[in-house]
Amino acid sequence: MSRTVADEVLSRLREWGVEYVFGYPGDGINGLVAAFGRSGNDPRFVQARHEEMSAFEATGYAKFSDRVGVCMATSGPGAVHLLNGLYDAKLDHVPVVAIVGQTSRSAMGGSYQQEVDLQSLYKDVAADYLVEVNVAAQIPNALDRAFRTALARRAPTAVIIPADVQEEEYTPPAHEFKQVPSSPPGVSGSWVEPAAEEIDSAARILNAGTKVAILVGQGARGAAAEVCEVADRTGAGVAKALLGKDVLPDDLPFVTGAIGLLGTRPSYELMRDCDTLLIVGSNFPYSQFLPAFDRARAVQIDIDGTRIGMRYPTEVNIVADAKAALAALIPLLEHKVDRSWREEIERGVRRWWDTVERQCMVSAQPVNPMRVAWELSERLPEGAILTADSGSSTNWYARCVRLREGMRGSLSGTLATMGAGVPYAIGAKFAHPGRPVVALVGDGAMQMNGLAELLTIARYHREWTDPRLIVCIFHNNDLNQVTWELRAMGGAPKFEESQTLPDVSYADLARTIGLEAVAVGSPDELGAAWDRALSASVPVVLDVRCDPEVPPIPPHATYEQMKSTAEAVLAGDANAWHLVVQGAKMKAQEVLPPRHQR
C-alpha cells in the first residue's frame, strides 16, 4: 500500500515529538483518521466530546507542558467549533497547531456540503501562519512552519488539508523550481540578550526609587529566582497578573498576590503608593490598577517588542528574555539599606491573609464559596496543578488559593471564556500524568460544557499514573459573576430569567459515568470532602452547594460603593437583604485587628 499524505502528516508530528492530538473525527479528516489506525495510534488521538474542548485541551496541554499543543477537526462545523479554544490560545500567547480538514478540491466553490471558506474564517485567529495544502509536496514545509511559528510567536497556527489531498500518495518536495523543501524538525530557544545601555538606564531608575513595585506575568515564569533577587535588592513588593499567579509562591512575605478587580488589597496599595514600577513579562491591560501616570517611573521587560510600552508610560523598554535581562540588571542594583517600604508591604500582606481567612470563615447559606478555595489551599499536595474557569469562582482562585513552590495554575486569562476549566485540567493530566490536578469550576461552566468532558475524564483516567483529577463545582444555581457585574457596574438588580440556572445534582451525574463524587451541603463537611477527594484512586467530582450572595468585593471598594450596590439590589433582588448582610459581614473583616492583637 502506498504511503499517503496523511501518513506523512503523522510521521512529521512524531518527528516534532508530538505525543497527543486532541480532536474529534469527521469525514473531512477521514484520511487522517485512517492514518492514525495504520500508525498504531502514534501520536495518540485523544477524543474530546466537542471540537471546542479539543482546542482547550491542546491549549491547556501547551500551557502546562511548555510544548506545542495540537488539535484536529473536520471541515465545516468542526473547523468552526475550534475557534473559541484557538482564540484562547491566541490571546494568552500559547503555541497551538490546528490541523483542519476541508472539502475535496474538486467540490470547492460548488456550495458543497460542509464547505466553509476556512481561509477567511481562520485568517485572524491563525494570523501568524495559515496555509492550505493543495499538493503533497507542500506538507513538510507547511507543518514545519506551523510548528516553528507557533513556538516563535507563542501563537496558534493552522494547516488546512482538503480531504482528497489526505488520501493522495505522498511525494516529497523535489530539487526543482517552485518546490519548497524543509529542514528536520527542531527550533532553538528564545533567549534574547538585552542591550547594555537599556540595562544601565533601568538600573539608574530602580536605584533612584524609594518605593519600588514589581509586576510579573507569565513571561517571568522562567526567571523566578532573578525576580526574587531584584525584589530583595530594591526592597520591592511583587504583584502578579493572574496568568502569572504561579510565577512566585504565595507564601513569600513580599508577594502581594493578584492585581486588578480579582486582586488583593496589598497589590492595590503597592501600585497606589509606589514611586517606581518594574513590569516583567506581563501585558496586564487594566492601567487603572497601575500607579497614577504622574506618580511612578517605570521600566518594562518583555520578549515581544509588539507588547511593550502599551499599558503604562514606561521610560525604559527592554525587549529581551526576562531571565537574561534580570541577570544583567542584578549586578547594577544597589541593596537598599532603608527597608521601611518592604516592611510596610510585608505588614500589609500579613494583614491581608489574616483578613482573607476571616472572610473565608464567615457563615453563609449554605457554604461560603471562599471557604471552598481556602480549605483546598490548606491541603494542596506537592506539585499540584490548578485550573480555574471564568466566573465568580475565579475570584476565589485568585485571592484565596496560596500556591507554593513547584505548583502550577492557569485559566483563560485574556479571553476569559467560560468552559475552559475542565478541558484545561484534562490537558494538564496528559502533560503531567503523575501530578494531581484540580479544576475550580462554576456550575454555569459545567452546564455549558464541563459535564460532557467528565466523559472524557472517565474514558482516559486509567492512563494517568496519578489518578487524582478533582473537578470542584461551585454550585449556586446562578451565573454569578455576571449577576454581580449587573449589580455593581450596571446598578441593576439580578434578572432571574437570564441569571438563574436549572438545578441538578452534579454528584449524581458523575456517579452515573463511573467517577467518584462527593456532595457537600454544609461548611463542616468541606475539610473531609477535600481529604477524601485528594486521596481517591479515581477522579472525583466535588459538588459544593454555595451561597450566591457572597460578594467578590474588589480590593479598592469603599463602603460608599458598596452602599450604592446595596441600594441597587434592594430595588429588586429577591434575596436583597441576605445579600446586603453578607456584603457587610465580608467588608467588616477588613477592619478587624489581626488575631494576635485580639
Side-chain angles (χ1 to χ4, degrees):
M1 186 176 179
S2 62
R3 180 179 175 82
T4 68
V5 168
D7 293 323
E8 176 61 20
V9 169
L10 296 196
S11 176
R12 208 67 176 180
L13 293 182
R14 289 191 292 273
E15 289 184 63
W16 275 100
V18 174
E19 295 181 285
Y20 304 105
V21 175
F22 301 92
Y24 201 82
D27 62 2
I29 54 171
N30 275 352
L32 289 162
V33 170
F36 275 100
R38 290 192 295 271
S39 73
N41 202 17
D42 182 16
R44 181 72 188 275
F45 188 96
V46 178
Q47 185 203 81
R49 314 274 57 77
H50 189 284
E51 291 91 352
E52 181 184 356
M53 300 299 97
S54 300
F56 280 141
E57 285 159 15
T59 301
Y61 176 88
K63 281 190 173 188
F64 292 113
S65 69
D66 296 321
R67 301 171 68 184
V68 178
V70 181
C71 56
M72 186 176 289
T74 188
S75 55
V80 173
H81 288 161
L82 284 181
L83 284 177
N84 196 46
L86 293 178
Y87 269 108
D88 184 43
K90 178 183 174 73
L91 271 62
D92 279 358
H93 311 291
V94 180
V96 171
V97 172
I99 300 173
V100 186
Q102 176 58 296
T103 301
S104 293
R105 290 169 297 176
S106 58
M108 285 185 190
S111 298
Y112 202 72
Q113 185 181 36
Q114 296 192 341
E115 181 186 358
V116 172
D117 183 355
L118 297 184
Q119 293 278 354
S120 296
L121 187 71
Y122 274 67
K123 69 180 180 181
D124 179 54
V125 75
D128 286 280
Y129 186 69
L130 168 63
V131 64
E132 182 174 297
V133 174
N134 284 302
V135 295
Q138 282 180 266
I139 276 294
N141 191 274
L143 282 174
D144 292 348
R145 284 199 66 194
F147 275 84
R148 289 193 172 100
T149 304
L151 285 164
R153 303 280 177 82
R154 308 294 297 178
T157 59
V159 179
I160 302 165
I161 311 176
D164 57 325
V165 175
Q166 298 168 30
E167 297 176 347
E168 280 190 351
E169 182 177 355
Y170 173 67
T171 54
H175 187 237
E176 61 184 60
F177 190 51
K178 296 183 180 180
Q179 296 275 312
V180 183
S182 190
S183 56
V187 65
S188 61
S190 56
W191 187 277
V192 179
E193 293 284 352
E197 60 272 20
E198 292 173 345
I199 292 294
D200 290 341
S201 298
R204 285 194 294 272
I205 290 172
L206 293 170
N207 286 333
T210 59
K211 296 181 176 181
V212 180
I214 300 175
L215 171 62
V216 297
Q218 62 178 340
R221 186 171 291 113
E226 288 76 14
V227 171
C228 288
E229 180 64 22
V230 171
D232 182 62
R233 294 193 179 210
T234 60
V238 182
K240 302 185 288 187
L242 203 47
L243 282 171
K245 181 174 172 63
D246 59 359
V247 168
L248 292 181
D250 287 304
D251 52 11
L252 293 175
F254 57 88
V255 171
T256 61
I259 187 174
L261 276 173
L262 277 61
T264 71
R265 185 78 189 180
S267 290
Y268 171 74
E269 293 171 346
L270 178 75
M271 295 296 153
R272 183 193 64 191
D273 299 335
C274 72
D275 61 17
T276 309
L277 174 63
L278 172 62
I279 305 171
V280 184
S282 174
N283 194 34
F284 178 74
Y286 305 110
S287 60
Q288 67 268 36
F289 290 100
L290 298 177
F293 290 163
D294 60 352
R295 178 175 179 84
R297 303 180 69 187
V299 174
Q300 186 172 4
I301 299 170
D302 203 292
I303 200 166
D304 187 347
T306 67
R307 300 201 299 273
I308 208 162
M310 293 172 56
R311 308 305 189 190
Y312 195 82
T314 46
E315 289 185 49
V316 177
N317 292 311
I318 301 172
V319 180
D321 175 86
K323 189 177 183 71
L326 294 175
L329 181 63
I330 286 168
L332 304 181
L333 295 177
E334 301 166 0
H335 190 279
K336 288 187 166 42
V337 176
D338 183 356
R339 310 304 280 185
S340 57
W341 170 242
R342 167 63 77 85
E343 291 165 0
E344 180 182 342
I345 292 166
E346 294 185 358
R347 282 194 298 272
V349 170
R350 289 194 297 270
R351 284 196 303 269
W352 167 256
W353 284 117
D354 188 76
T355 298
V356 169
E357 183 175 9
R358 289 198 304 268
Q359 288 179 334
C360 290
M361 299 306 162
V362 166
S363 61
Q365 297 176 8
V367 177
N368 180 344
M370 295 182 71
R371 185 166 176 178
V372 179
W374 183 267
E375 296 285 359
L376 167 64
S377 188
E378 295 290 285
R379 294 167 168 79
L380 276 173
E382 297 301 318
I385 299 173
L386 274 72
T387 69
D389 217 295
S390 296
S392 61
S393 61
T394 320
N395 293 273
W396 320 134
Y397 163 75
R399 295 179 187 163
C400 305
V401 173
R402 302 178 78 168
L403 295 181
R404 304 192 304 276
E405 186 74 32
M407 295 178 178
R408 292 291 310 274
S410 195
L411 73 173
S412 175
T414 312
L415 187 62
T417 179
M418 285 176 64
V422 175
Y424 265 28
I426 294 169
K429 285 301 288 190
F430 279 103
H432 298 285
R435 294 174 66 172
V437 175
V438 179
L440 302 176
V441 186
D443 49 2
M446 285 304 294
Q447 291 189 16
M448 181 177 285
N449 52 33
L451 283 172
E453 284 311 289
L454 293 182
L455 291 166
T456 306
I457 294 171
R459 177 173 182 170
Y460 291 105
H461 74 87
R462 293 173 186 84
E463 301 180 19
W464 303 326
T465 51
D466 186 326
R468 290 177 292 179
L469 193 165
I470 302 163
V471 178
C472 176
I473 303 166
F474 292 76
H475 184 165
N476 56 28
N477 297 327
D478 182 43
L479 292 169
N480 202 230
Q481 185 72 11
V482 174
T483 295
W484 282 106
E485 288 168 353
L486 282 167
R487 292 163 171 163
M489 298 178 185
K494 176 180 176 179
F495 179 55
E496 296 288 343
E497 288 300 311
S498 70
Q499 299 311 108
T500 301
L501 293 169
D503 190 29
V504 65
S505 171
Y506 303 96
D508 287 347
L509 289 171
R511 292 187 191 104
T512 65
I513 60 173
L515 301 180
E516 188 170 329
V518 183
V520 177
S522 78
D524 296 337
E525 299 168 357
L526 262 178
W530 275 119
D531 290 337
R532 177 177 166 186
L534 288 165
S535 61
S537 58
V538 295
V540 177
V541 168
L542 207 59
D543 181 358
V544 187
R545 295 268 181 176
C546 294
D547 191 335
E549 312 305 352
V550 173
I553 302 172
H556 60 290
T558 64
Y559 274 109
E560 288 71 24
Q561 290 168 326
M562 289 191 63
K563 180 173 177 287
S564 296
T565 301
E567 289 171 347
V569 299
L570 286 171
D573 259 84
N575 295 315
W577 280 112
H578 174 57
L579 182 155
V580 171
V581 170
Q582 286 299 137
K585 287 195 294 185
M586 288 297 175
K587 194 65 180 174
Q589 307 310 309
E590 296 183 16
V591 297
L592 290 175
R595 287 170 299 173
H596 66 274
Q597 295 181 10
R598 300 204 300 272

